[in-house]
Amino acid sequence: MNLSNNITNFGVGTDIESVERFNNYTLSDDSNFLRSIFSESELVYCFSKESPANHLAVRFVGKESVIKALYSIGIEDVFYRDIEILNKSNGVPYIKLDDMYKNIQFQISLSHSKENAIAFVIAMEVTDNE
Amino acid sequence: MSEEDTIKKIFGEVIGIDESEITDSIAYNSHESWDSLVHLELVNELEDEFDVEFEMDDIIAMETFGKVKEIVKKYLS
């Protein structure tokens, strides 16, 4: 985060979900459903893993958390498919959103066990000092 | 099967309740099975069945079974 920016508003969001609920989704049988929530990049990433359910679940709760955080600062028109949760080369997750929301910066933390996936998001509305 | 019966059948299957127990007032997040993931599954099943694509505002507005029926019918009219 660029600390030269002023944070004018912020919201938080969190969510938890059972990983088991994502066990039976497959790209072949649930393509429309999965693509209504996840981007192509997210699906490629999740289904490249040995246990896609963990990665689908944690991205789902991440998106829920983003929606909740944005909703709390009055932004109500962002839905699952608008949000991408990707990983930096060092594995740290980050949120990619349409450029129209470039005044919003996020911090996200994701975690999952065998049973559950959890996410915590801070959404910060910023203005440039310059 | 009428459109309303089809909506009720899909709703019962996705939410996991018997069709005889479905009333218009059953509400999102008040019925234990109807959470955000199930809501998206419901939307997907309805879109597949009726070959429609709901707007985000309508997906969010489907807060009760009564509203689900009303919104689906709007797209079919």
Side-chain angles (χ1 to χ4, degrees):
Chain A
M1 183 172 61
N2 182 355
L3 293 178
S4 68
N5 290 331
N6 288 324
I7 299 171
T8 57
N9 198 4
F10 74 95
V12 297
T14 186
D15 195 48
I16 185 169
E17 189 55 83
S18 166
V19 170
E20 185 183 22
R21 298 182 69 184
F22 292 81
N23 277 345
N24 295 327
Y25 293 130
T26 65
L27 274 178
S28 53
D29 291 342
D30 306 294
S31 176
N32 288 346
F33 174 67
L34 291 170
R35 286 184 166 81
S36 72
I37 302 173
F38 303 103
S39 71
E40 198 60 35
S41 300
E42 290 172 321
L43 290 174
V44 167
Y45 177 84
C46 293
F47 282 94
S48 72
K49 301 295 183 184
E50 192 174 330
S51 302
N54 291 335
H55 301 276
L56 291 169
V58 85
R59 271 157 188 74
F60 180 78
V61 294
K63 288 168 188 250
E64 282 270 350
S65 301
V66 170
I67 291 168
K68 289 176 181 177
L70 290 174
Y71 205 87
S72 74
I73 57 173
I75 299 172
E76 302 175 2
D77 56 353
V78 174
F79 216 40
Y80 302 88
R81 193 61 176 78
D82 304 320
I83 304 159
E84 266 195 298
I85 298 177
L86 304 169
N87 292 85
K88 297 176 186 173
S89 56
N90 61 1
V92 174
Y94 68 96
I95 293 161
K96 188 178 168 191
L97 208 59
D98 190 280
D99 274 352
M100 71 181 286
Y101 301 103
K102 63 184 178 186
N103 63 323
I104 308 291
Q105 294 186 356
F106 295 96
Q107 292 289 302
I108 182 169
S109 181
L110 305 173
S111 187
H112 60 78
S113 65
K114 186 178 175 186
E115 291 84 17
N116 295 301
I118 189 168
F120 184 77
V121 167
I122 303 173
M124 292 159 286
E125 205 165 6
V126 298
T127 53
D128 288 332
N129 277 333
E130 298 159 350
Chain B
M1 187 180 282
S2 70
E3 284 170 357
E4 187 159 333
D5 287 342
T6 304
I7 296 168
K8 185 179 253 188
K9 178 173 177 290
I10 290 171
F11 186 87
E13 287 172 356
V14 175
I15 306 294
I17 53 176
D18 193 275
E19 284 182 49
S20 63
E21 297 173 20
I22 298 173
T23 64
D24 283 357
S25 61
I26 288 181
Y28 173 75
N29 265 344
S30 66
H31 189 280
E32 60 180 13
S33 305
W34 192 359
D35 64 9
S36 55
L37 185 59
V38 165
H39 191 71
L40 294 173
E41 288 179 344
L42 174 65
V43 166
N44 184 64
E45 291 294 326
L46 291 169
E47 286 182 336
D48 281 354
E49 174 66 30
F50 295 107
D51 195 24
V52 296
E53 190 170 339
F54 300 113
E55 297 289 332
M56 189 187 83
D57 288 349
D58 285 324
I59 294 172
I60 292 169
M62 292 177 176
E63 293 179 324
T64 64
F65 177 64
K67 287 293 289 183
V68 170
K69 284 192 301 184
E70 183 185 316
I71 289 167
V72 173
K73 287 176 182 173
K74 180 178 80 175
Y75 280 75
L76 299 178
S77 62

